[in-house]
Amino acid sequence: MLTFALRSLLARRRRAALTGLAVLLGVAMVSGTFVFTDTINAAYHGLFAATAKGADVVVGSRQGLYSANAQPASVPASLLTRIRALHGVAAAQGQISDVATIVGRNGRIVKNTGSPTLAMSYLPPPFTGLQFVDGNPPLGPNEVVLDENTARREGYRVGDRVQIVTVQPARRFAVAGLARLGNASTGGATFAVFDLATAQSLFDARGELNTIYVAGTTGTPPATLKREIAPLLPPGISVQTSAQETHADLHQVDDQLGVLTGGLKAFGFIAILVGAFVIAGALSITLAQRTNELALLRALGATRRQVLDAVLVEAAVIGTLASAAGLLAGLGAAYLIRAVLGASGVEVPSTSLVLELRTVLLAIAVGLLVTIAAGLVPAARATFVSPIEALLESRRPARPRLSPVLIGPVLFLALLGALFAFASVESRRDRLTVSVIGAVLFVLAAMLITPFVVPQLGRLVGWPLERGGRILGRLARENTTRTPVRTAVTASSLMIGLALVLFVSVYVGGVRASTRTAIDRTLSADYAIVNRDGTGSIPAPSARAVAGVPGVLAVSSIKQATADVAGAGQTTSAGIDPSSVGQVYRFNWVGAQPLALADLGPGDVLLERDTARAAHAQVGQQLQVASPAGLRANLVVRGIYTDRALLPGLALPLPEFDQLFNQIRVQQVLIKLAPDANPASTLAQIKASLNSVPGVVVRSQRQLRDQASGQAGSILALFYALLALTVVMAGLGIATATALSIHERTRELGVLRALGMTRAQTRGLVRDESLITAAIGTMIGAVLGIVIAWLVTRALTAEGVVFTVPWLQLALVIVVGLAVGVLAAVPAAARAARLDILSAIAHE
Amino acid sequence: MFTDADGPVVVGRDLEKRYGQGPATVHALRGVSVELLPGSFTAIMGPSGSGKSTLMHVLAGLDRPTAGDVWLGPTRLAGLDDGDLTRIRRTRVGFVFQTFNLLPMLTLEENVVLPLKIAGEEIDDDWLERLLVAVGLQERRGHRPAELSGGEQQRVALARALITRPAVVFADEPTGNLDSHSTEILLHMFRRAGQEIGQTIVLVTHDPLAASYADRILFLSDGQIMHETGKLSAADVIETVASVR
């Protein structure tokens, strides 16, 4: 039987090759996605491990690599001497870390994709995690080391001079070396490294340190070291083992990049789904042919067991070979995604590609299991009835039967979906989760019922092709709809891809609109002073500088930090000036205004509604807030407001904020002009007053709004890139399915050619078939995408996320979907047109 | 319909067909010449591998001879490209295959008019009616092929071959898959087509009964015409086949 299985494989070489191609595509989709995701994660891990390299414990907190909020704690440099004197300490070094701005050769600020440029002091061995690509560590007040990526992008080499803006005005430094952190390219994060004394003077921190790295003597466990150091520390300064520190950093990244990692995880799931559909679609086409062959085997006396063996051997051979090739193709795909993203300016940190065992197992499982499962269907058909019945059965096209077995789950899923979607759940996060679950259930229900509506949809989308009695359009439509299950499965991968594109664009559009509305509603300031890079903090004197400008009515500074709020976890916290904030910002109170802002005093806090919900806090109750350094305060909730754009999380009066967070710089300064001020001349004067303050820009209310609502740009580009990959994969799936379908109907094509069908008409027939399949997928995908978007935005209505029908994207999705259909048909159409009529007619 | 009503409809001259090269060369046709006159009903007989199917394919423009010439009416087939050959098949030639080769998703009537639809030509409703009545299926025009018996399907295929009023109908073992009753009904219809509308017919078969309906029988063996007769009874056909071999 083994010989038979292998021989039949060889005999059906083309069929086997096309099926294998489908498996390869599916597996490549799954493995590529996971390799890409794992690579990003590994890069972050390597990054943090590198920054704490050689240290057993870390004193103080580091500037969060990807967070603009976290400000470094400050410890006296004398602490370093005292730690070095401790028994059990082998080495200790201090570091300054802050943010800076690098100026490019063209005089422009080096722009990162959303993350700040790190400024660090050089850590001598054994602590340095820097790997020098070229040159030496920085030495003296005029040298700097740049990260390899930025240097390459901006064309800086060792020995060149580069202008860098710190807390001090811009200064030129000589590039002493180029380095990278660990094995990772830091992607979006650029860095500049100075020697310690230079860094201390550049950041106004003489005699201070931000972090102390400590290595213990051999045999001293980090925990013991930590216990020894703790009593030496001033209040508010923490000591952690480096393992804890790395973990905390990763946690923070997860928080910051939650959308990214969550999205990538979701995409892994989508990849599995699409991959499985591409494979199942191709295999379902050869179902009748294989049922026939197996029934014939049965008729010739093969036992059920032997038939099963033959099927399993065939599936295992195709599945294993194609999955292995698919894994390789997946690695290639991951490499390609990264290259494409890099070329389009979206930098994500990366190391060499990471191939986890999990990826291999998952990819092969998808490839092998789907192939085997699809192989068992004809085996079951061929063996559970008498051989002759099976032979006859295999000649009849399979129609889906709306069996009770299927109706049950479909109704159940749809009902569950509706239930989830319409359930009113309290917290925003839960509501979002619930509606996403509802949306997924809707997708599954839609996929299950698609085969039953294929004939109707086929007639609808095929109408333009057969109007005026065009018989070939009619044939194309009948060919796609006479095998509804196959067509539905083939169309499904395209449907998923396009539905997601639509969903993402509606969702993002809605969130952007809501951010704009929120800013319009709350921001009454005319201008804001912000960091040039858009995210970093700015020197506090900015406020003082503009306060004296004539025409300026009010100036209010806002600081920002991340706090740990009891019950709500990591929460963005703003420090506001109660005396002036009312003139630049309108609180959108839940209920009546609780108190005059000016009355906000020490021990008071205002909560954004989501924080209040998560912490189960109400006005008048106490709430514990902790700083990253471990300082705690019990605050009384004085009011609850809604705002997800400018002041998410919570707001504290500045004096309270300063006690909790050791932070000198401010996040932004909001400016309100007097009603009679001349906007243009006042703006010019404001700008002039800021000449002495480095690294800041003035933005109008409108610019601020556009910037805030456009922030998700690069992550969005990443998702669109991945979704584009899905659509490409779906297209390749349709191409494979069309090729198989043509192969199966060789004789029919031969007869039509003999009856006078020209080559051009043959190509048209094949194209129309593929087009109809694609159009069905596009149509369901479009409807589904909009329904899901509606469900999810509906869950966020309270946040001002509005649902709008995205006409432009809808048109685009339809055009892309149809183009996929036309393109996918090209290889099969060319082959069909070249068919030799005589051998086609003789084809079995 | 024909430029020259009395001239031959199909002419094949010195036809040779070789497959392969060197010592492995297979000679399917070794110099065959035939002329088919208007309204003639010709049967081509011969054992498997005698070249009878190849001869039909070459005469119908489905295959190109290695040497020799084919004229369909006034048109010389040599040198025509695929597009021209396709147009000739559309308008001048009708086919009936051994396996009926109807399209399963089309109704009986749609299958009959398929060649006209493919060519984008007008359907002559009277002609269609006449054909449907002639093959005895006018009542079942809305049925699908799966609902018809094999004999009925082959009658549909005959109507489909006649719908374009072709110069010649080629039938390749049309009775090969039929029982004897269906075979007789179908052959009667072929003969009626010849008698009533003067249809030129070429029937490739190794069924002596089928050949006995023809006015002229060509016996092929090893790629050559070994013998040619006029009308014979089935019994005589069997005898001739034996003697030719």
Side-chain angles (χ1 to χ4, degrees):
Chain A
M1 221 52 205
L2 181 71
T3 340
F4 167 79
L6 295 177
R7 272 175 177 277
S8 92
L9 248 181
L10 281 177
R12 301 270 184 205
R13 223 170 285 129
R14 188 174 168 79
R15 186 176 86 188
L18 284 171
T19 316
L21 183 66
V23 178
L24 188 154
L25 289 175
V27 171
M29 178 90 199
V30 174
S31 58
T33 308
F34 279 92
V35 166
F36 180 65
T37 313
D38 289 343
T39 304
I40 292 184
N41 280 337
Y44 279 124
H45 219 282
L47 201 58
F48 295 126
T51 52
K53 190 186 161 238
D56 293 319
V57 300
V58 179
V59 177
S61 62
R62 281 181 283 152
Q63 165 74 31
L65 275 175
Y66 282 85
S67 158
N69 294 344
Q71 288 284 319
S74 168
V75 296
S78 58
L79 184 61
L80 184 61
T81 337
R82 295 172 64 199
I83 289 177
R84 278 182 179 148
L86 280 177
H87 188 70
V89 171
Q93 292 288 352
Q95 188 182 35
I96 289 286
S97 50
D98 210 304
V99 290
T101 307
I102 299 174
V103 182
R105 279 190 181 285
N106 52 8
R108 293 236 180 107
I109 303 287
V110 172
K111 268 287 210 177
N112 311 317
T113 37
S115 19
T117 299
L118 304 176
M120 302 179 284
S121 66
Y122 176 69
L123 277 173
F127 301 109
T128 186
L130 289 181
Q131 289 197 333
F132 280 85
V133 182
D134 196 7
N136 299 303
L139 197 68
N142 295 318
E143 287 193 356
V144 68
V145 165
L146 297 181
D147 73 281
E148 185 194 6
N149 276 345
T150 308
R152 197 183 49 223
R153 218 173 32 225
E154 300 295 325
Y156 285 124
R157 275 194 291 268
V158 172
D160 289 354
R161 295 183 70 77
V162 55
Q163 205 178 9
I164 297 177
V165 186
T166 56
V167 174
Q168 310 292 332
R171 260 183 60 188
R172 287 187 178 279
F173 296 86
V175 178
L178 304 178
R180 59 169 83 144
L181 266 177
N183 286 323
S185 86
T186 45
T190 53
F191 60 80
V193 183
F194 308 93
D195 80 2
L196 182 60
T198 310
Q200 282 172 327
S201 88
L202 284 175
F203 294 100
D204 287 338
R206 281 189 191 81
E208 289 176 36
L209 294 171
N210 296 125
T211 319
I212 297 175
Y213 295 89
V214 185
T217 50
T218 2
T220 313
T224 313
L225 208 55
K226 182 178 160 183
R227 266 201 308 279
E228 275 187 52
I229 294 171
L232 303 180
L233 303 180
I237 301 302
S238 64
V239 54
Q240 291 196 303
T241 66
S242 57
Q244 290 172 325
E245 184 80 3
T246 303
H247 184 79
D249 278 347
L250 277 177
H251 189 80
Q252 200 184 22
V253 165
D254 237 28
D255 234 35
Q256 296 281 323
L257 299 177
V259 190
L260 178 66
T261 48
L264 287 176
K265 271 179 208 150
F267 196 77
F269 176 74
I270 295 163
I272 292 178
L273 210 63
V274 171
F277 268 96
V278 167
I279 298 172
L283 282 163
S284 74
I285 291 167
T286 54
L287 184 65
Q289 210 179 45
R290 281 177 300 139
T291 307
N292 190 327
E293 283 167 14
L294 295 176
L296 199 63
L297 273 184
R298 286 275 288 151
L300 295 176
T303 63
R304 210 164 267 182
R305 174 84 231 165
Q306 284 173 314
V307 167
L308 208 64
D309 285 351
V311 167
L312 286 179
V313 167
E314 183 178 338
V317 170
I318 293 187
T320 313
L321 291 180
S323 297
L327 262 176
L328 286 180
L331 281 173
Y335 183 82
L336 217 72
I337 302 178
R338 201 174 56 176
V340 167
L341 283 178
S344 55
V346 183
E347 292 236 11
V348 284
S350 57
T351 60
S352 48
L353 296 177
V354 177
L355 183 62
E356 298 259 356
L357 183 64
R358 186 253 289 127
T359 310
V360 178
L361 294 181
L362 208 61
I364 295 210
V366 170
L368 209 56
L369 291 184
V370 178
T371 315
I372 288 177
L376 287 178
V377 175
R381 277 200 191 173
T383 53
F384 287 112
V385 290
S386 82
I388 290 305
E389 265 180 78
L391 272 175
L392 292 175
E393 174 71 24
S394 72
R395 306 226 160 115
R396 271 196 291 277
R399 298 214 165 268
R401 280 166 293 233
L402 202 56
S403 67
V405 193
L406 209 63
I407 294 181
V410 169
L411 279 181
F412 176 72
L413 282 177
L415 212 69
L416 214 61
L419 214 76
F420 266 109
F422 294 101
S424 60
V425 182
E426 264 304 292
S427 102
R428 184 181 65 88
R429 216 186 153 118
D430 291 352
R431 251 180 300 148
L432 196 59
T433 315
V434 159
S435 38
V436 166
I437 294 176
V440 169
L441 293 177
F442 265 122
V443 173
L444 290 179
M447 285 182 343
L448 283 177
I449 54 168
T450 305
F452 301 100
V453 291
V454 159
Q456 289 76 13
L457 289 182
R459 249 192 299 281
L460 190 65
V461 299
W463 174 80
L465 301 173
E466 45 185 302
R467 87 199 114 62
R470 272 195 59 214
I471 192 73
L472 292 176
R474 163 92 189 285
L475 288 182
R477 191 256 297 171
E478 297 266 8
N479 271 328
T480 35
T481 55
R482 79 173 144 169
T483 50
V485 178
R486 172 205 296 188
T487 304
V489 170
T490 310
S492 282
S493 46
L494 186 64
M495 171 193 97
I496 295 173
L498 294 180
L500 285 172
V501 171
L502 267 184
F503 161 67
V504 169
S505 57
V506 175
Y507 178 73
V508 169
V511 169
R512 283 187 173 165
S514 105
T515 308
R516 298 169 77 94
T517 323
I519 292 181
D520 281 345
R521 197 186 302 159
T522 55
L523 187 70
S524 48
D526 297 301
Y527 294 105
I529 309 173
V530 294
N531 192 308
R532 277 203 160 124
D533 67 16
T535 49
S537 52
I538 57 172
S542 315
R544 240 177 297 129
V546 293
V549 173
V552 169
L553 179 67
V555 174
S556 193
S557 299
I558 293 178
K559 289 188 177 180
Q560 216 170 54
T562 304
D564 195 13
V565 176
Q570 299 281 315
T571 307
T572 306
S573 308
I576 54 171
D577 180 356
S579 65
S580 58
V581 71
Q583 285 175 291
V584 293
Y585 182 86
R586 278 185 297 267
F587 276 93
N588 190 16
W589 299 108
V590 175
Q593 175 163 359
L595 80 172
L597 277 172
D599 292 344
L600 208 62
D604 291 342
V605 66
L606 301 172
L607 297 186
E608 207 277 327
R609 189 182 49 191
D610 283 330
T611 313
R613 278 186 177 148
H616 298 289
Q618 273 154 13
V619 175
Q621 286 182 337
Q622 283 222 331
L623 186 73
Q624 196 187 64
V625 175
S627 76
L631 288 180
R632 286 166 206 289
N634 281 313
L635 305 172
V636 180
V637 179
R638 287 298 178 194
I640 295 174
Y641 62 94
T642 59
D643 178 10
R644 301 221 312 118
L646 285 173
L647 296 180
L650 56 85
L652 299 168
L654 269 174
E656 189 72 52
F657 183 94
D658 286 339
Q659 279 182 18
L660 266 175
F661 307 98
N662 183 344
Q663 184 167 311
I664 308 149
R665 291 158 75 91
V666 302
Q667 186 62 32
Q668 55 192 346
V669 174
L670 300 176
I671 303 166
K672 179 78 182 169
L673 301 192
D676 54 354
N678 176 340
S681 66
T682 313
L683 178 61
Q685 279 178 284
I686 290 174
K687 282 182 173 166
S689 74
L690 288 170
N691 277 343
S692 59
V693 187
V696 299
V697 287
V698 181
R699 300 249 182 260
S700 69
Q701 185 193 18
R702 188 197 168 90
Q703 285 170 323
L704 208 63
R705 191 186 68 182
D706 292 347
Q707 195 184 14
S709 61
Q711 245 164 23
S714 62
I715 290 180
L716 194 64
L718 177 69
F719 284 141
Y720 278 136
L722 287 172
L723 287 174
L725 186 72
T726 315
V727 173
V728 169
M729 284 292 173
L732 290 172
I734 294 181
T736 316
T738 309
L740 272 170
S741 162
I742 293 310
H743 179 64
E744 186 201 39
R745 290 186 297 109
T746 303
R747 187 166 71 188
E748 193 175 294
L749 287 169
V751 170
L752 285 167
R753 289 278 283 132
L755 293 182
M757 181 167 72
T758 63
R759 286 194 167 142
Q761 284 177 314
T762 313
R763 280 191 291 270
L765 176 68
V766 177
R767 187 202 55 224
D768 286 356
E769 271 188 56
S770 167
L771 194 56
I772 289 171
T773 305
I776 289 175
T778 306
M779 200 155 122
I780 304 180
V783 172
L784 212 57
I786 289 181
V787 167
I788 299 173
W790 181 75
L791 280 179
V792 175
T793 47
R794 196 188 151 279
L796 299 173
T797 316
E799 274 68 49
V801 177
V802 266
F803 171 78
T804 44
V805 178
W807 295 111
L808 180 70
Q809 285 92 337
L810 192 63
L812 210 68
V813 155
I814 290 173
V815 169
V816 167
L818 297 183
V820 163
V822 171
L823 289 177
V826 169
R831 191 181 150 76
R834 279 198 314 268
L835 273 183
D836 177 65
I837 300 174
L838 284 176
S839 51
I841 293 174
H843 191 87
E844 268 296 312
Chain B
M1 206 179 312
F2 314 123
T3 45
D4 179 0
D6 299 324
V9 178
V10 181
V11 175
R13 191 156 297 156
D14 303 327
L15 294 173
E16 290 193 27
K17 183 71 186 179
R18 290 188 295 272
Y19 298 102
Q21 277 179 341
T25 308
V26 175
H27 292 266
L29 294 177
R30 306 168 183 260
V32 175
S33 293
V34 285
E35 287 196 352
L36 303 176
L37 294 175
S40 64
F41 187 166
T42 310
I44 303 178
M45 289 204 75
S48 299
S50 62
K52 58 185 192 298
S53 286
T54 306
L55 177 60
M56 185 203 102
H57 293 149
V58 167
L59 293 178
L62 283 174
D63 204 352
R64 292 176 195 275
T66 314
D69 265 329
V70 176
W71 281 267
L72 258 171
T75 315
R76 184 170 174 234
L77 296 192
L80 294 187
D81 66 13
D82 182 79
D84 295 329
L85 282 177
T86 304
R87 266 184 290 283
I88 291 200
R89 277 200 303 276
R90 265 183 189 174
T91 50
R92 314 258 292 271
V93 181
F95 290 101
V96 179
F97 304 98
Q98 177 176 4
T99 48
F100 325 123
N101 286 328
L102 302 180
L103 295 190
M105 60 282 201
L106 299 184
T107 64
L108 184 161
E109 183 178 333
E110 288 167 335
N111 263 291
V112 171
V113 299
L114 183 61
L116 291 178
K117 287 277 199 171
I118 291 176
E121 277 166 25
E122 287 290 307
I123 294 163
D124 178 345
D125 286 328
D126 294 339
W127 182 233
L128 173 63
E129 277 323 296
R130 200 174 152 196
L131 285 177
L132 287 177
V133 171
V135 297
L137 291 167
Q138 75 274 26
E139 303 295 334
R140 309 187 63 184
R141 61 178 78 216
H143 290 239
R144 311 248 164 185
E147 300 165 82
L148 303 181
S149 74
E152 288 165 333
Q153 288 191 47
Q154 199 62 307
R155 275 141 62 189
V156 177
L158 176 60
R160 179 177 71 183
L162 295 171
I163 192 76
T164 56
R165 302 179 197 263
V168 53
V169 167
F170 290 99
D172 191 2
E173 301 277 12
T175 61
N177 282 355
L178 301 183
D179 60 58
S180 57
H181 179 64
S182 305
T183 298
E184 282 199 53
I185 296 178
L186 184 73
L187 291 170
H188 272 290
M189 289 177 176
F190 268 103
R191 186 153 65 193
R192 273 185 64 200
Q195 289 166 349
E196 291 180 20
I197 57 174
Q199 180 64 53
T200 313
I201 297 165
V202 178
L203 182 71
V204 170
T205 183
H206 51 231
D207 177 4
L209 180 68
S212 71
Y213 279 78
D215 316 318
R216 177 187 178 209
I217 308 176
L218 305 177
F219 293 88
L220 246 73
S221 185
D222 290 330
Q224 286 172 300
I225 295 177
M226 308 300 278
H227 190 65
E228 185 179 338
T229 71
K231 197 168 178 59
L232 289 180
S233 70
D236 290 339
V237 173
I238 294 171
E239 216 169 276
T240 317
V241 167
S243 71
V244 166
R245 198 174 286 166

